[in-house]
Amino acid sequence: MSDAFTTRLIDLSTGSSETVHDLTASCEDFLREAARGRDGLLNVFVPHATAGIAVIETGAGSDDDLLATLHTLLPADDRWQHRHGSHGHGRDHVLPGLVAPHATLPVIGGRLALGTWQSVCLVDTNKDNPNRQVRLSFLG
């Protein structure tokens, strides 16, 4: 494999409650090693059917607002055809249709080119699976 493409899988524990988990520091750590000052693209991908990747502001309430909005759009009730797992778990399988399981971000000079308040986050509403993986891939 060429230096132009590097990938790494990171393991996370998201616990037993819905969460927006900030991945920005992990992305930056990966790019320090993988990009080595080069321009390119960072792809962030979650290989799970019940989680997504969002680029949002965190810490000022936006992460809680996102979870509240998802609760409104995707209530944890009996309307879902997908019925295994905890009550309302079918909603978790619809989540990636609204919060995509990937994001591709510009890398300039080896650093993420995010806006001032943007963070890269894992969005996980699935309380049944606290163990998650995220694949980071740099192409440059």
Side-chain angles (χ1 to χ4, degrees):
M1 191 176 304
S2 146
D3 262 4
F5 181 79
T6 306
T7 189
R8 174 180 301 152
L9 199 59
I10 57 175
D11 295 309
L12 301 169
S13 178
T14 56
S16 60
S17 61
E18 298 176 0
T19 189
V20 175
H21 181 89
D22 193 337
L23 299 168
T24 309
S26 295
C27 292
E28 291 169 344
D29 290 345
F30 170 69
L31 288 172
R32 268 191 286 286
E33 180 182 319
R36 297 186 311 273
R38 294 177 293 160
D39 295 350
L41 296 171
L42 173 68
N43 184 263
V44 183
F45 175 72
V46 56
H48 298 284
T50 58
I53 300 295
V55 179
I56 64 168
E57 179 181 8
T58 59
S62 297
D63 38 354
D64 292 331
D65 290 341
L66 175 58
L67 291 175
T69 300
L70 291 172
H71 243 279
T72 299
L73 294 172
L74 305 172
D77 60 20
D78 290 329
R79 74 183 69 202
W80 310 104
Q81 299 298 312
H82 187 104
R83 295 186 186 265
H84 79 82
S86 62
H87 180 73
H89 173 66
R91 74 184 285 265
D92 301 325
H93 287 273
V94 177
L95 172 77
L98 299 176
V99 181
H102 58 87
T104 300
L105 307 164
V107 176
I108 307 298
R111 301 195 62 189
L112 275 175
L114 294 173
T116 303
W117 303 112
Q118 290 180 313
S119 296
V120 182
C121 299
L122 170 70
V123 179
D124 188 1
T125 59
N126 183 356
K127 298 183 265 187
D128 294 340
N129 183 3
N131 301 312
R132 296 299 186 174
Q133 293 183 320
V134 176
R135 179 167 298 281
L136 305 176
S137 300
F138 175 73
L139 179 63

